Amino acid sequence: MAANISHLKVVGQSAALADDAILRWLPKQQLWIDPTRLNQLSGERGLRLHILPGSFADAKGRIVTERIELELVEIVHKAGMLLAARPTTSRDGVFESAGMFGLEARSGTEILTLLKPLHIEWPINTLQNRPSKLQIVTLANASTRSFSALADQDWIPFFNNNQPLLKLNGQRWLKFDIDHLGWFSAQQPLSKEGLKSMLSVRYPDQRFEHKQAFLVFHHHQAVVKLFPYENKFCAFNIPRRAAASVVMLGFNKGQYYLGHTSFDGHSANNLALKLEVVEATMVPQLIYALVNAPK
């Protein structure tokens, strides 16, 4: 049953509107660093960064010595993955993510590259099952087509082996070095084996300028991006018996539309979405409420 969006309880959730053309809301953090010194920084969600002097270079390979803006995005819940358009599908499989983060460095308007390894200390609390199975992956050019509509990108392993998970005062930590900036996730295969389902979802044709839809699992930290086809969204090879919700966001002539319906984990070809007009500034809070509503 679809939720009544107009009666959802909205909880405070910091998020900044960004890049409306592709419907992405990214909770960005702006950190300033002196690249000539050792920098030790912490994100709002607990991610720690240790940056050595002389770690950044410009497009010509020259070491940057002027002040640098480091942009950090930390995602710890499913609503954030949806708002950032970062599904947890990879190599034609569905995964659970214990969290994601993205890093980008700039000097003025120029994008910088990393010369020296950057040390990461990452608190992991959101995934309780099989934490030893977590693997660090990074977003890179795809070798196979993933569920994501971004066919040219996919999550790929960053290390050949799983990274050890450390525990200190009840907090789980992943500690590792990265040799490039970009997006990273800690994930493991969704614990649902056996038969797979296909999903087709219809929605009212509003001649949207932009649209996207996601399948958000109720009891797993997993998000699947659906493929648009005419006035439908489709997905294949979805693990059965894993209940989920479909959330759609559309944009047309300056107006946002939000829709929601449930999926019971079995083959479905006739699900339908009812769309409601929503204010742009309310989209992040409404999606957070939809994803976290009691099931």
Side-chain angles (χ1 to χ4, degrees), residues 8-256:
L8 280 172
K9 180 181 179 182
V10 175
V11 268
Q13 191 68 12
S14 63
L17 293 180
D19 201 352
D20 286 348
I22 53 173
L23 303 177
R24 258 181 208 167
W25 283 261
L26 298 177
K28 298 180 180 180
Q29 302 171 48
Q30 186 183 56
L31 308 173
W32 293 97
I33 64 175
D34 179 350
T36 65
R37 302 176 56 185
L38 173 66
N39 290 265
Q40 298 180 344
L41 308 170
S42 295
E44 294 175 358
R45 298 289 187 172
L47 184 76
R48 298 176 183 174
L49 310 170
H50 300 262
I51 306 171
L52 296 173
S55 290
F56 298 94
D58 61 18
K60 296 181 179 180
R62 297 173 298 197
I63 295 177
V64 177
T65 57
E66 301 295 327
R67 191 171 74 150
I68 291 173
E69 176 190 354
L70 189 65
E71 187 176 272
L72 169 65
V73 179
E74 293 176 280
I75 299 175
V76 297
H77 49 65
K78 291 177 284 190
M81 296 170 195
L82 190 156
L83 289 167
R86 293 286 178 246
T88 63
T89 47
S90 176
R91 291 152 283 153
D92 290 328
V94 181
F95 289 75
E96 294 182 90
S97 175
M100 301 177 181
F101 69 88
L103 283 169
E104 185 175 83
R106 293 190 186 92
S107 178
T109 58
E110 185 175 9
I111 303 296
L112 306 179
T113 57
L114 198 58
L115 284 177
K116 297 179 181 179
L118 192 157
H119 183 67
I120 300 291
E121 296 179 357
W122 194 10
I124 297 295
N125 270 334
T126 57
L127 202 63
Q128 302 299 324
N129 297 325
R130 302 179 297 150
S132 62
K133 300 293 184 181
L134 286 174
Q135 183 179 37
I136 305 297
V137 295
T138 185
L139 201 60
N141 292 334
S143 57
T144 59
R145 185 176 180 84
S146 67
F147 283 107
S148 170
L150 300 173
D152 60 338
Q153 287 191 315
D154 197 4
W155 295 108
I156 64 171
F158 184 59
F159 301 106
N160 291 329
N161 301 315
N162 296 348
Q163 289 298 107
L165 194 67
L166 307 177
K167 194 170 184 179
L168 180 63
N169 297 326
Q171 172 70 67
R172 292 166 172 162
W173 291 86
L174 284 167
K175 298 186 178 184
F176 55 94
D177 292 341
I178 60 175
D179 57 4
H180 68 274
L181 302 179
W183 278 90
F184 298 85
S185 176
Q187 66 181 32
Q188 63 188 30
L190 184 66
S191 56
K192 290 289 180 181
E193 307 295 338
L195 295 175
K196 307 293 183 181
S197 300
M198 71 166 291
L199 173 64
S200 178
V201 185
R202 293 179 290 106
Y203 61 89
D205 186 6
Q206 301 284 351
R207 299 186 181 275
F208 290 114
E209 298 169 28
H210 305 284
K211 59 191 175 186
Q212 60 185 12
F214 296 88
L215 185 68
V216 185
F217 290 85
H218 292 172
H219 307 297
H220 304 275
Q221 288 284 102
V223 176
V224 173
K225 190 167 185 176
L226 307 185
F227 289 113
Y229 177 71
E230 296 179 346
N231 66 327
K232 295 181 181 180
F233 281 96
C234 303
F236 303 92
N237 297 326
I238 303 300
R240 283 198 177 185
R241 298 182 298 279
S245 296
V246 176
V247 179
M248 176 187 168
L249 184 63
F251 178 80
N252 187 39
K253 297 180 180 178
Q255 183 66 66
Y256 284 91

Side-chain angles (χ1 to χ4, degrees), residues 5 255-258 275-279 286:
I5 294 170
Q255 183 66 66
Y256 284 91
Y257 298 79
L258 187 61
L275 298 174
E276 297 184 32
V277 175
V278 296
E279 294 293 329
L286 288 171

